Amino acid sequence: MIAVLLVGGQGTRLRPLTYALPKPMLPVVERPMIARVVEWLASYGVTTAVLSLGYQPDAFVDAFPDGRFAGVELHYAVEREPLDTAGAIRFAALDAGVAGETLVVVNGDVLTDLDLASLYKFHQGTGGAATIALTPVEDPSAYGVVPTDPDGRVLAFIEKPARDEAPTNRINAGTYILEPSVVDGIPSGRPVSIEREVFPRLVGQDELYALDSDVYWLDTGTPERYLQAQFDIVRGVRAPCHMPPCVKRADGVFVAAGALLEGEVEGCAYVGKAASVAHGARVRDVVVGASAHVASGATVRDSVLLPGAVVREGATVVGSVVGPSAVIGAGARVSSGSVVGAAALVADGAVLDSARHPV
Ligand code: GDD
Ligand code: MG
């Protein structure tokens, strides 16, 4: 099977983290999201993955310099300007010379245990030109909403409707099977959205089908969901194989090699390689990335510290993401879904509440 991974977006909702790293390269419990996505595809027999790139393509090429990962051959298709989702698929398929194949297409910011084999089988059974995987969500208004008939024929594709206008909570899970006719039919030379243009057209032609699934699924594209992706792994909502190498203490805290835990570490916590929590620090329900440091008198809760982040004496971090090598100054308070960028400095005593730093 050949897959196209849409990974060219700017990740605006995760700024400023995505100024330094494109969204799919951000770590989720120490592993770049894209590594997790490619491993999932590999487990279903995908042999080639075409990375549809636009924003910061070098980050991907540098991460996988030999063009292979998890036994999958990687092809890099770099757009000169953003072509939107369908334009990107067309460009990537032509660039990689796979436009004549049935393609698996995935949004690169989705983490899921979706059964790709069942989706493929269902697709072959319908004879339709395209099949979308569906997943239920609490609030469908941030997604593509997809009502179907009992046989899975798609009745409408409504991208990001108002909450009270969504006819169902089953949404586009961002995994598709596309026949070559779909790629052929995508107009060239301009941005084209698969959600707003291609899928609605296929609905009109009775060529679009969808299959429900209740397995683990998460779009990591907002700070809240980027945090959740990591807690889902540490809390065991997902299988243990998603954890990096570490030891589980008797109290359930996960500790990687060389981590130094002198302070209080409680709840669902992972402390990465060579990270440290100093005496007198309090840490609860966290992912502390490799070589990160929490100083004496600091408190970190419900948060992720990316590798090399430092929380200085007496600072508090709650419900927030601290970027790689960022420094939270002594006595500062960072809370409520704040996002601190890579290598950013939050001044001593500063207060960030639901804030982006730098903006
Ligand atoms: N190459 C390329 N070029 N990739 C792009 C472009 C582009 O112009 N625009 C977006 N992408 C990539 C993003 O990098 C991301 O991996 C994927 O396409 C989807 O974009 P998002 O920005 O994450 O979209 P979304 O989450 O708001 O909505 C999409 O995903 C939902 C499920 O997660 C839609 O497909 C929804 O219908 C769907 O429900
Ligand atoms: Mg998304």
Side-chain angles (χ1 to χ4, degrees):
M1 271 198 289
I2 296 171
V4 172
L5 274 66
L6 291 172
V7 285
Q10 298 190 11
T12 50
R13 289 165 293 182
L14 283 176
R15 283 178 183 163
L17 287 175
T18 44
Y19 288 132
L21 276 178
K23 177 164 63 172
M25 286 305 305
L26 289 174
V28 168
V29 199
E30 308 284 46
R31 314 207 58 202
M33 267 183 234
I34 191 169
R36 297 179 176 277
V37 174
V38 173
E39 280 168 355
W40 163 65
L41 292 170
S43 75
Y44 284 99
V46 167
T47 50
T48 301
V50 183
L51 305 193
S52 164
L53 302 167
Y55 180 67
Q56 298 194 0
D58 294 349
F60 297 87
V61 182
D62 295 348
F64 308 108
D66 50 1
R68 280 191 85 75
F69 182 71
V72 177
E73 192 183 324
L74 304 177
H75 177 97
Y76 304 106
V78 184
E79 292 158 32
R80 255 175 266 126
E81 65 229 33
L83 291 171
D84 209 341
T85 42
I89 294 166
R90 182 191 146 90
F91 176 83
L94 289 172
D95 194 72
V98 298
E101 311 275 345
T102 303
L103 298 176
V104 177
V105 175
V106 302
N107 285 351
D109 63 343
V110 165
L111 297 175
T112 182
D113 295 325
L114 187 86
D115 180 351
L116 214 49
S118 299
L119 187 72
Y120 204 87
K121 202 165 156 213
F122 173 82
H123 172 77
Q124 288 176 316
T126 66
T131 299
I132 304 174
L134 302 184
T135 190
V137 291
E138 156 92 7
D139 175 8
S141 63
Y143 303 101
V145 177
V146 187
T148 67
D149 75 7
D151 297 329
R153 192 189 304 264
V154 174
L155 301 173
F157 191 104
I158 313 153
E159 182 69 5
K160 304 191 174 115
R163 193 169 183 172
D164 55 358
E165 282 166 22
T168 163
N169 71 334
R170 310 304 266 193
I171 60 107
N172 167 21
T175 299
Y176 321 127
I177 312 284
L178 304 182
E179 289 303 320
S181 63
V182 176
V183 176
D184 255 11
I186 298 171
S188 62
R190 65 171 171 91
V192 182
S193 160
I194 200 161
E195 296 88 351
R196 295 180 194 277
E197 188 169 335
V198 176
F199 286 153
R201 178 166 47 77
L202 291 175
V203 170
Q205 297 167 346
D206 272 352
E207 285 285 0
L208 187 59
Y209 288 80
L211 183 66
D212 281 336
S213 167
D214 282 333
V215 298
Y216 183 84
W217 182 91
L218 187 73
D219 173 313
T220 60
T222 65
E224 295 70 26
R225 291 192 245 117
Y226 178 57
L227 285 170
Q228 192 193 332
Q230 325 219 19
F231 298 142
D232 284 347
I233 291 175
V234 179
R235 286 196 185 116
V237 174
R238 307 199 66 195
C241 61
H242 294 289
M243 285 296 286
C246 61
V247 170
K248 191 176 185 180
R249 288 195 326 202
D251 63 357
V253 169
F254 295 97
V255 184
L260 186 62
L261 278 64
E262 294 173 334
E264 232 173 76
V265 181
E266 297 174 310
C268 295
Y270 167 86
V271 183
K273 264 191 186 168
S276 50
V277 177
H279 184 74
R282 300 179 62 187
V283 162
R284 180 179 190 94
D285 298 330
V286 291
V287 172
V288 178
S291 302
H293 174 66
V294 183
S296 177
T299 300
V300 183
R301 266 191 289 126
D302 304 316
S303 295
V304 170
L305 308 181
L306 291 173
V310 174
V311 180
R312 291 215 169 121
E313 286 72 13
T316 302
V317 177
V318 179
S320 297
V321 185
V322 180
S325 303
V327 177
I328 309 301
R333 186 177 167 82
V334 175
S335 63
S336 310
S338 292
V339 181
V340 177
L345 175 64
V346 174
D348 291 356
V351 176
L352 295 186
D353 185 58
S354 303
R356 311 286 170 129
H357 179 85
V359 280

